[in-house]
Amino acid sequence: MSARAGLWVEKYRPKRIDDVVGNPEARKAFVAWLNQWLAGNPPEKKAILLYGPPGCGKTSLVHAASNQLGLELIEVNASDVRSSEALHRKVLRAATEGTLMGARGKIILLDEVDGVNPREDRGGLDAILEIIRASRYPVVLTANDPWDPKLRELRNYCEMIEFRKLGKREVMKVLSDICRREGIECDPAVIDAIAENSEGDLRAAINDLQAIAEGRKRISLSDLEMLGYRAKQLNMFEVVRMVLAAKRPEAARAVLSMPSLDYEMLMQWLNENIPYQYLPSYVAVADAYDALSKADIMLSRIKRRQAWTLLPYALDLMTMGVAAAREKPPFKFVKYSFPQKLRLLSSTKESREDRLRVMRAIARACHTSLSVAMLEVAPFLKIICEHDPERGSRIAESLGVSADALFKALGVEVRAKATQTRSKSRQRA
């Protein structure tokens, strides 16, 4: 038996859809979407994105549906198989060919798509989009945090279903059932403690139970000493709420214990949402932004001088400093907004990259740096292109870029005129 097969999370993985614990509405929505495929009427969005915290049943639901409905499951962890070449080799062929052994159909499961890094895993997200477009079968994606800017285009192709963390009682029920089936006598207080420590992560709770039950037929409270504190991973909405709604500064600082907190992203989210939570108290808003601005100064000094000893001060300012604002109004439920700055940067990414390519071409031609090309050369080129579009077109040709690209990069609104002028010039020649 392999080590993987010996894990209780695999041994007791649900075999039927009704056996999956919690999130009944999410399960119902997923089954309805899947039934459209099985009825030969693929939904408008060929892929579905199941998102929520770890251990809430996203992957287990797909496994259970595959088993119950007789579907061949093609499963790939997208955070492990990241490159375009690997995804094409392992998934695209399976998504476009027939089934094996008389299966009723297939499910293509791409697990943990938010683990793909666009910088390091070049082409990975583009390959996933290609798989969705070409697939003859339902494509299921899972993610813990679907609101990452890199997944923006992917979200447009997917129907999204949210899974919430499991309740403590639901986790305790599963743990008790496993103990019964394994013939283990377990103190109810132990099950209670494991469920509490898991923070709704059923997979983690089962792993903890197996860790302390190994080689035992009786488990007592003293056996819990081998389990340490588990820092849970929250999505950014919950992190922002923990900071802005904290009654004590120490409670806000607790978010820093998260394993993979992106503090620069947290800075942007706090900057966007402080007024929503702290108004109508302008004093609280001013105090919060004062702390956030000092944290921003610290972060810029860290990057400029590589002074990483300042990082704890920056993190304390953006968490405890913001939470310690004076005259905070009573807590109210607020629907936090995705940072507008990141949204704008994402929407203008293509045009900014086009402009950068033109500026690099200018820098190469002038044998100068990119900053000099942008600050000193580009303004003169703009004047030339505005007053003599035909010459501007010739300059663009010498740079190896199109006239449209040059005029757009320089902010010159005479592209049509330049084209007509050049056309007439050629006719005269």
Side-chain angles (χ1 to χ4, degrees):
M1 180 182 292
S2 67
R4 185 73 179 163
L7 293 175
W8 286 358
V9 289
E10 294 297 331
K11 182 177 180 180
Y12 295 108
R13 188 186 286 277
K15 299 295 189 295
R16 300 183 60 81
I17 295 170
D18 289 341
D19 296 336
V20 179
V21 179
N23 291 290
E25 293 301 320
R27 282 187 281 138
K28 184 178 179 181
F30 172 74
V31 171
W33 175 86
L34 191 58
N35 282 336
Q36 284 187 265
W37 275 97
L38 298 179
N41 181 30
E44 181 181 351
K45 293 191 174 181
K46 296 171 63 178
I48 195 166
L49 176 58
L50 311 180
Y51 69 94
C56 62
K58 305 183 294 293
T59 305
S60 292
L61 176 60
V62 181
H63 278 260
S66 169
N67 182 74
Q68 181 175 333
L69 300 174
L71 301 172
E72 182 184 349
L73 179 63
I74 308 298
E75 181 179 5
V76 170
N77 190 310
S79 64
D80 294 335
V81 182
R82 304 181 175 197
S83 69
S84 173
E85 181 184 350
L87 285 168
H88 276 91
R89 185 176 65 254
K90 291 179 175 289
V91 183
L92 185 59
R93 185 174 178 180
T96 55
E97 293 184 348
T99 60
L100 298 174
M101 298 177 290
R104 187 179 175 189
K106 293 182 184 179
I107 297 181
I108 311 299
L109 173 59
L110 300 176
D111 219 357
E112 299 182 8
V113 293
D114 49 341
V116 178
N117 189 320
R119 297 179 198 168
E120 301 173 6
D121 318 314
R122 189 171 298 277
L125 290 175
D126 290 337
I128 292 175
L129 290 172
E130 185 179 352
I131 290 167
I132 292 173
R133 297 189 196 104
S135 179
R136 296 165 49 191
Y137 307 100
V139 178
V140 183
L141 298 85
T142 70
N144 295 332
D145 178 16
W147 308 112
D148 193 307
K150 70 188 178 191
L151 300 180
R152 181 172 177 268
E153 187 176 1
L154 199 60
R155 292 196 298 269
N156 294 333
Y157 283 82
C158 298
E159 183 173 333
M160 298 180 64
I161 297 181
E162 180 182 10
F163 280 66
R164 301 183 182 278
K165 73 175 184 179
L166 300 179
K168 180 179 173 180
R169 293 194 177 196
E170 292 172 321
V171 176
M172 291 178 65
K173 183 178 179 181
V174 173
L175 297 182
S176 298
D177 184 59
I178 291 175
C179 287
R180 178 185 59 78
R181 295 166 73 175
E182 290 289 327
I184 295 172
E185 184 180 339
C186 186
D187 189 327
V190 172
I191 292 177
D192 184 280
I194 293 175
E196 182 74 31
N197 188 48
S198 72
E199 296 284 357
D201 186 341
L202 181 58
R203 180 169 54 244
I206 294 173
N207 285 335
D208 284 348
L209 178 64
Q210 184 175 11
I212 64 174
E214 199 70 40
R216 296 183 176 89
K217 285 298 181 182
R218 179 190 294 268
I219 305 173
S220 63
L221 280 171
S222 60
D223 298 318
L224 281 174
E225 294 177 0
M226 68 184 343
L227 294 181
Y229 170 74
R230 172 176 290 103
K232 66 174 180 176
Q233 187 70 30
L234 305 174
N235 64 44
M236 198 55 73
F237 292 98
E238 295 170 318
V239 173
V240 173
R241 182 165 287 111
M242 282 185 67
V243 174
L244 298 183
K247 295 182 179 179
R248 295 179 297 107
E250 295 82 2
R253 196 180 190 281
V255 302
L256 301 179
S257 66
M258 290 172 50
S260 53
L261 176 69
D262 186 337
Y263 52 83
E264 291 187 339
M265 181 69 78
L266 175 59
M267 171 84 72
Q268 297 296 336
W269 276 80
L270 291 173
N271 180 53
E272 181 76 21
N273 292 289
I274 282 172
Y276 300 132
Q277 188 70 70
Y278 285 173
L279 284 176
S281 173
Y282 291 100
V283 173
V285 171
D287 285 348
Y289 275 123
D290 182 57
L292 202 62
S293 65
K294 290 175 180 174
D296 191 34
I297 292 171
M298 291 284 186
L299 289 177
S300 66
R301 288 178 180 171
I302 290 169
K303 294 176 183 177
R304 188 169 63 252
R305 303 175 185 175
Q306 293 297 296
W308 292 100
T309 54
L310 297 176
L311 184 58
Y313 301 102
L315 297 178
D316 284 348
L317 281 166
M318 76 172 67
T319 53
M320 291 197 296
V322 170
R326 297 168 295 161
E327 300 182 18
K328 288 195 297 185
F331 174 74
K332 58 183 177 181
F333 181 80
V334 173
K335 186 176 181 180
Y336 296 129
S337 300
F338 188 88
Q340 189 67 18
K341 176 182 176 181
L342 299 180
R343 197 185 303 276
L344 289 172
L345 287 174
S346 176
S347 63
T348 61
K349 180 181 178 183
E350 187 174 346
S351 61
R352 287 186 288 111
E353 289 179 346
D354 290 342
R355 183 174 186 272
L356 196 58
R357 278 193 290 271
V358 172
M359 293 301 162
R360 284 176 178 151
I362 295 172
R364 283 194 302 270
C366 296
H367 302 286
T368 187
S369 67
L370 180 62
S371 60
V372 169
M374 296 175 72
L375 297 175
E376 299 181 16
V377 181
F380 290 102
L381 283 178
K382 181 177 181 180
I383 294 172
I384 293 171
C385 292
E386 286 176 339
H387 289 82
D388 192 347
E390 185 178 355
R391 177 171 290 183
S393 296
R394 291 200 299 270
I395 292 173
E397 188 174 348
S398 70
L399 293 173
V401 300
S402 68
D404 277 357
L406 177 62
F407 293 154
K408 185 176 180 181
L410 297 173
V412 178
E413 296 295 335
V414 290
R415 285 172 289 176
K417 182 179 178 182
T419 304
Q420 293 170 4
T421 304
R422 193 168 185 189
S423 177
K424 290 178 181 177
S425 174
R426 286 176 176 173
Q427 288 175 1
R428 287 197 299 270

